[in-house]
Amino acid sequence: MKIVIHRGIDQIGGCITEIESGGYKIFIDFGEQLPGTEIKELKPIDGLTCGDVSKSALFITHYHGDHIGKICDTVVDLPIYAGKTAREIFNCLESRLSYIPDPNEAEKHKRIVERIKEIKTFEQLQKINIGEITVTPLFIDHSAFDAYMFIVEADNKRILHTGDFRGHGFRSKGLIPTLKRYAKNIDYIISEGSNIQRPNAAIQTEQELQKDFELQFSKNKYNFVLVSSTNIDRIFALYHASKNAKRCFVCDSYQTEILKIVSENHKQYTKFYDIDFNQTTSPAGRFFNLKRQGQNPFSFDGKLKSYLEKNGFCMLIRSNDSFQPLITEYAKSKDSKVFYSMWDGYLDSKKPAFNESLYNFLKPYKIEYMHTSGHADLGTLKTVFETVKPKCGIIPIHTEAPEKFQELFHEQTTIIPLHDGDVFDVK
């Protein structure tokens, strides 16, 4: 067995992992590099972007663009695997982006939509064989819904690829029990380390964040929240916070479509994903799908306006001019609040990922920052490594400081320092 990290040893996002055995290859993730990252040109990768793909397959951990965004650069016949709900959410997102005004960008997203049609789906714990390689997905918690770790087996070796994960989300309580039950006799862990440079950071749980939003919604009558449209658990938490604060819940048709995908696929497992989209009896959590009139900005009209102003609301927004007039109208009120619930690096001009358009969108308003990370903190990483106890070592990826793994975890296990493109022989 051989492991090659084609990209991602010393950067967050854009990671590509190859595991080869007996001429068969599986690749894990193939995404865009994050904004502001130094562009690393990839050489052609045999079995992924060129050559014979009859003995290859690509597995996607989750639908974030830095993990799936390059699927159109693969050889057209390459099999691609992802979670069922993840594929549906990604298709909804890309279908929407295929209508953006920029013709080049729109065409790019149309190609992705066509490629999505060919993605094969799996369920957690379903074993998938690519020749003599067996891949088993483990369902875990991340800021993307339907995210997975993978156990890869071949040549009597077992590799755990963590993908992106965390220990402080709504579904994180299953992380350690899952690893104890299924991630036994692991030889190597290929682990993300997004937060490795924040050793003392106290990361708030999603449950705590929901309670804080509930308190804010109770205090403020008109609430606007800028949040990623695919941060599913955060959005369901906002819905429940609104309901508990006896506020209405408002979002546009695109967001409604995404919520319905998750609700229909998962409400049978937990009430957390059960939204009564047609509820009319009480303003507490009453759901409103706000639709635009042509190309006009969003607005509250007639009976809807008086109802929402009487009972208060939480409205999900994006940095789009269509939302601006409505926010501006209510932002003047002392009963109004605008919340920013995404990574603060996008608003920091000193960071490479600074988003000037987003910054300018929010500039007119006094915003409240309420967010928590989608990635594992140091304590969670340590617990995972202690639970799995890899026999041979850890290969760091998806981190800007791989050397920190050696500093922090060398007493637990061997840390294997690689460079992008290195071929590591698994022994």
Side-chain angles (χ1 to χ4, degrees):
M1 180 189 282
K2 292 181 174 62
I3 297 174
V4 182
I5 310 299
H6 289 280
R7 189 172 63 195
I9 289 294
D10 58 358
Q11 69 179 53
I12 295 173
C15 301
I16 308 161
T17 300
E18 174 185 337
I19 300 175
E20 183 271 338
S21 178
Y24 289 91
K25 299 179 179 181
I26 66 114
F27 297 88
I28 299 177
D29 289 341
F30 189 23
E32 303 277 3
Q33 292 183 256
L34 293 176
T37 305
E38 178 188 352
I39 300 300
K40 295 182 179 179
E41 295 298 331
L42 284 172
K43 296 178 180 178
I45 301 174
D46 187 56
L48 180 69
T49 63
C50 66
D52 180 13
V53 296
S54 63
K55 293 183 175 181
S56 300
L58 171 62
F59 289 81
I60 301 298
T61 58
H62 62 282
Y63 53 67
H64 282 157
D66 61 317
H67 291 257
I68 194 175
K70 299 282 282 182
I71 57 173
C72 285
D73 290 359
T74 61
V75 176
V76 69
D77 293 330
L78 177 73
I80 302 175
Y81 293 84
K84 177 181 181 293
T85 302
R87 185 183 71 169
E88 291 183 42
I89 292 170
F90 189 56
N91 183 65
C92 183
L93 170 64
E94 291 297 323
S95 297
R96 178 179 176 81
L97 291 173
S98 67
Y99 290 99
I100 60 179
D102 185 323
N104 293 327
E105 281 294 303
E107 185 58 35
K108 168 188 166 184
H109 293 291
K110 286 177 183 175
R111 291 196 302 272
I112 293 176
V113 170
E114 288 302 308
R115 194 71 175 102
I116 290 171
K117 293 177 182 177
E118 305 300 321
I119 291 179
K120 304 172 186 290
T121 61
F122 54 69
E123 296 180 357
Q124 63 170 327
L125 304 179
Q126 175 187 348
K127 292 185 180 299
I128 302 166
N129 295 314
I130 308 299
E132 60 186 54
I133 303 174
T134 301
V135 180
T136 306
L138 305 181
F139 184 67
I140 46 90
D141 190 284
H142 179 44
S143 53
F145 190 82
D146 201 25
Y148 294 86
M149 293 182 176
F150 294 117
I151 294 176
V152 183
E153 300 173 85
D155 295 339
N156 295 314
K157 297 294 181 183
R158 285 166 57 84
I159 313 297
L160 176 67
H161 188 293
T162 69
D164 292 356
F165 73 102
R166 62 182 175 180
H168 55 277
F170 287 104
R171 289 166 286 114
S172 291
K173 63 183 180 181
L175 174 62
I176 299 306
T178 295
L179 294 175
K180 284 181 177 179
R181 185 169 182 180
Y182 300 106
K184 298 176 181 177
N185 300 314
I186 294 296
D187 294 284
Y188 295 90
I189 299 178
I190 302 173
S191 176
E192 76 123 311
S194 305
N195 284 323
I196 201 78
Q197 296 189 85
R198 303 175 61 201
N200 300 314
I203 294 181
Q204 187 180 34
T205 68
E206 287 285 352
Q207 291 91 334
E208 291 167 343
L209 186 63
Q210 178 183 328
K211 286 292 185 183
D212 286 350
F213 269 115
E214 182 181 328
L215 182 61
Q216 289 287 346
F217 295 165
S218 297
K219 290 179 179 178
N220 303 288
K221 201 171 187 181
Y222 312 132
N223 302 277
F224 296 92
V225 186
L226 196 150
V227 60
S228 168
S229 63
T230 58
N231 192 344
I232 302 301
D233 282 358
R234 179 73 48 79
I235 293 170
F236 274 92
L238 291 168
Y239 166 77
H240 290 293
S242 301
K243 191 172 183 178
N244 293 338
K246 296 181 170 50
R247 302 297 187 200
C248 302
F249 188 81
V250 186
C251 62
D252 69 348
S253 297
Y254 160 64
Q255 189 68 76
T256 299
E257 185 178 353
I258 288 181
L259 294 178
K260 284 185 175 180
I261 288 171
V262 177
S263 187
E264 289 168 9
N265 288 349
H266 296 272
K267 65 183 180 183
Q268 66 269 35
Y269 304 117
T270 169
K271 291 181 179 180
F272 185 71
Y273 300 117
D274 190 1
I275 289 180
D276 185 356
F277 293 97
N278 300 313
Q279 185 262 113
T280 59
T281 56
S282 165
R286 183 171 179 183
F287 190 98
F288 288 98
N289 176 3
L290 190 63
K291 298 177 181 178
R292 292 173 64 187
Q293 301 299 319
Q295 296 301 310
N296 294 324
F298 288 106
S299 63
F300 301 150
D301 299 308
K303 291 182 180 179
L304 174 62
K305 184 178 179 67
S306 60
Y307 189 88
L308 292 176
E309 289 184 350
K310 176 184 176 183
N311 297 292
F313 59 84
C314 161
M315 180 173 178
L316 306 186
I317 59 173
R318 293 186 297 282
S319 55
N320 182 307
D321 290 343
S322 301
F323 293 93
Q324 199 99 52
L326 194 56
I327 305 167
T328 301
E329 177 184 351
Y330 285 90
K332 302 170 186 174
S333 169
K334 61 180 177 58
D335 293 326
S336 179
K337 208 69 169 286
V338 179
F339 300 93
Y340 177 72
S341 194
M342 295 170 62
W343 181 50
D344 57 2
Y346 297 129
L347 301 181
D348 186 345
S349 60
K350 297 177 182 177
K351 291 190 179 296
F354 173 63
N355 187 322
E356 187 174 7
S357 174
L358 177 61
Y359 176 83
N360 289 333
F361 177 86
L362 292 171
K363 191 176 180 179
Y365 316 112
K366 181 180 179 182
I367 64 170
E368 183 93 12
Y369 178 68
M370 294 181 66
H371 181 59
T372 192
S373 178
H375 297 271
D377 61 6
L378 214 57
T380 300
L381 287 174
K382 187 173 186 291
T383 301
V384 166
F385 300 157
E386 288 176 342
T387 300
V388 176
K389 295 182 177 66
K391 291 183 281 186
C392 301
I394 296 171
I395 300 172
I397 62 168
H398 205 279
T399 175
E400 293 175 328
E403 69 281 358
K404 285 284 186 181
F405 275 74
Q406 178 64 34
E407 177 186 324
L408 295 166
F409 303 119
H410 71 279
E411 293 183 357
Q412 288 178 266
T413 185
T414 301
I415 306 300
I416 300 164
L418 297 179
H419 297 92
D420 288 345
D422 285 354
V423 177
F424 178 70
D425 285 305
V426 177
K427 298 177 182 178

